[in-house]
């Protein structure tokens, strides 16, 4: 987006909330930077953010994009399957409540 | 995790976070303890780290030289690890001002400054910092004289950038700690200069 | 991969628009600049993004461009520059 027309810089400072911090930590752990097995590269994270449809990219918050991208990468790599994710989301929605 | 309740009922993406995390834990890929420890580790990295490096460079010419030559190695000497990436330190002078941006995503020297502020990741900053740096700086309250040359650094790949600001005048008798306290996060991104 | 360029060399960024994950910003493609420094050799992001090894690793450079040449309507000091990291396979020597 370098050089594209855009508005004034808005000086928002936001203290990251817990779920965002956990997404961040997941990314670090899955990258193998912390010593574990490397299950994703930063390039895959970026690729899967870049391939979001433009309107989704604009609507989503930063860590919403990240969690989507990390999850997508885990599916692409076969670490988890779409079926497992679908089941898990339904189960947790029922267990903890969801707006979805 | 005990804070789970704070954002229930979950939004779609929060639901995804919990689900992904639980799946990865069930599969033995990560543990909740590792995650909690990593969250804490990241939380403890604040711009004070970067400020320490800057203040050290202000008082120690040898260190300053090393820092500009090989930022990664110089920081390691201070016990600050910079895993996998290379740190490039760029120095402000009376005739040259440096500004850092990442137009492609949000690359940021997190090992020295912590997590980036919201505006650094925003479309407006990322689009305009490369094309009209002076206008952007003036929105930050920094009016740069036309004679001062601007170097904009777009972190597009494996380098991370830290601006070494100019030491404020009349601080000859200041301690390193006091100097460090004058260095804000924004000074090290290049959207501000130290004010005392 | 051997480093082909050294600091001070005049280079031009390739003006191509393929698909994939690319770390060369659009705004700098086709522009001419000067090698500021050699940064080392790193896995190729275009490969790493697709679950491949990133080999052969690519030399990475910081390339310096004059702002007034990148943006025809640039307002500011005529010596203002923008510096961008660019992988070797995205650069061509100015003299071929």
């Amino acid at each position: 987006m370098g050089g594209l027309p855009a508005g004034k810089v808005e000086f928002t400072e936001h203290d990251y909330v817990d779920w965002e911090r956990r997404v961040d930590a997941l990314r670090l752990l899955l990258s193998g930077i912390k010593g574990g097995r490397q299950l994703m590269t930063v390039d895959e994270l970026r690729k899967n953010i870049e391939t979001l449809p433009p309107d989704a990219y604009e609507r989503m918050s930063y860590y919403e994009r990240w969690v989507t991208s990390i999850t997508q990468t885990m599916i692409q790599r076969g670490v988890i399957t779409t079926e497992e994710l679908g089941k898990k989301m339904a189960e947790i929605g029922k267990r903890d409540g969801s707006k979805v | 995790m005990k804070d789970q309740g704070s954002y229930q009922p979950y939004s779609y993406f929060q639901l995804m976070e919990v689900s992904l995390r639980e799946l990865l834990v069930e599969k033995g890929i990560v543990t909740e303890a590792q995650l909690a420890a990593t969250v804490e580790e990241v939380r403890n990295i604040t711009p004070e780290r970067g400020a320490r490096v800057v203040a050290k460079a202000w008082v120690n010419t040898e260190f300053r030289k090393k820092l500009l030559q090989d930022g990664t190695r110089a920081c390691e000497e201070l016990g600050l690890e910079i895993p996998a990436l290379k740190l490039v330190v760029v120095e402000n002078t009376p005739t040259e001002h440096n500004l850092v941006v990442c137009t492609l995503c949000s690359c940021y020297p997190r090992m020295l400054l912590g997590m980036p502020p919201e505006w650094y990741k925003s479309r407006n900053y990322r689009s305009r910092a490369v094309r009209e740096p002076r206008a952007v700086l003036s929105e930050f309250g920094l009016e740069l004289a036309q004679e001062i040359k601007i170097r904009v650094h777009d972190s597009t790949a494996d380098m991370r950038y830290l601006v070494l600001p100019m030491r404020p005048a009349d601080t000859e008798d200041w301690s390193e700690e006091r100097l460090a306290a004058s260095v804000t996060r924004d000074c090290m991104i290049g959207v501000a200069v130290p004010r005392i | 991969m051997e480093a082909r360029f050294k600091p001070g060399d005049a280079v031009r960024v390739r003006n191509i628009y393929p698909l994939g994950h690319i770390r060369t910003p659009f705004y700098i493609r086709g522009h001419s600049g000067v090698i500021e420094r050699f940064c080392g050799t790193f896995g190729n992001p275009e490969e790493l993004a697709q679950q491949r090894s990133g080999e052969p690793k690519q030399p990475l450079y910081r390339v310096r461009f004059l702002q007034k040449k990148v943006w025809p309507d640039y307002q500011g000091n005529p010596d203002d520059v923008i510096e961008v990291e660019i992988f070797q396979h995205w650069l061509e020597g100015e003299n071929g």
Side-chain angles (χ1 to χ4, degrees), chain C residues 11-65:
Chain C
V11 291
R12 181 190 295 270
V13 185
R14 291 170 73 194
N15 197 14
I16 52 171
Y17 299 85
L19 295 181
H21 172 71
I22 296 164
R23 300 302 291 177
T24 307
F26 283 96
Y27 72 85
I28 214 67
R29 296 188 198 176
H31 286 282
S32 298
V34 170
I35 302 282
E36 191 261 348
R37 75 177 76 173
F38 168 60
C39 303
T41 302
F42 296 89
N44 181 349
E46 292 155 24
E47 291 293 304
L48 287 171
Q50 316 298 341
Q51 292 181 47
R52 294 192 288 267
S53 67
E55 299 290 338
K57 290 194 171 61
Q58 285 288 334
L60 178 70
Y61 303 91
R62 287 172 50 67
V63 186
R64 178 178 286 182
F65 303 87

Side-chain angles (χ1 to χ4, degrees), chain A residues 81-95, chain B residues 15 19-20 22-23 26:
Chain A
T81 65
T82 300
E83 178 59 27
E84 286 171 333
L85 181 67
K87 263 198 201 145
K88 191 55 124 180
M89 288 175 80
E91 174 196 318
I92 289 174
K94 219 178 282 167
R95 184 188 78 194
Chain B
L15 185 60
S19 305
L20 174 66
E22 291 198 3
L23 282 172
E26 280 166 24

Side-chain angles (χ1 to χ4, degrees), chain B residues 16-46:
Chain B
M16 193 182 296
E17 184 268 322
V18 182
S19 305
L20 174 66
R21 173 161 46 89
E22 291 198 3
L23 282 172
L24 293 174
V25 169
E26 280 166 24
K27 288 170 184 281
I29 289 165
V30 297
T31 65
E32 291 284 6
Q34 276 176 324
L35 269 167
T38 308
V39 166
E40 271 324 290
E41 219 174 284
V42 171
R43 204 193 292 272
N44 289 332
I45 304 178
T46 68

Side-chain angles (χ1 to χ4, degrees), chain A residues 13 16 34 58 62 88, chain B residues 26 41 106 116 123 185:
Chain A
E13 302 274 347
Y16 294 94
K34 298 278 151 202
E58 292 296 338
Y62 188 75
K88 191 55 124 180
Chain B
E26 280 166 24
E41 219 174 284
S106 52
R123 167 176 289 278
R185 174 196 71 200

Side-chain angles (χ1 to χ4, degrees), chain A residues 3-4 6-9 11-13 16 18 22 24 34 58 62-63 84 88 95-97 99, chain B residues 1 3 7 10 17 22 26-27 41 106 110 115-116 118 121 123-124 127-128 131 139-140 185:
Chain A
L4 295 178
K8 278 197 168 18
V9 181
F11 301 102
T12 37
E13 302 274 347
Y16 294 94
D18 291 314
R22 281 199 298 269
D24 194 78
K34 298 278 151 202
E58 292 296 338
Y62 188 75
Y63 279 102
E84 286 171 333
K88 191 55 124 180
R95 184 188 78 194
D96 296 347
K99 294 179 201 156
Chain B
M1 285 194 182
D3 59 314
Y7 57 87
Y10 301 134
E17 184 268 322
E22 291 198 3
E26 280 166 24
K27 288 170 184 281
E41 219 174 284
S106 52
R110 290 174 44 142
M115 287 163 90
E118 197 70 15
K121 305 182 294 186
R123 167 176 289 278
N124 293 355
S127 306
R128 293 178 52 233
R131 186 183 186 132
E139 286 165 30
F140 279 88
R185 174 196 71 200

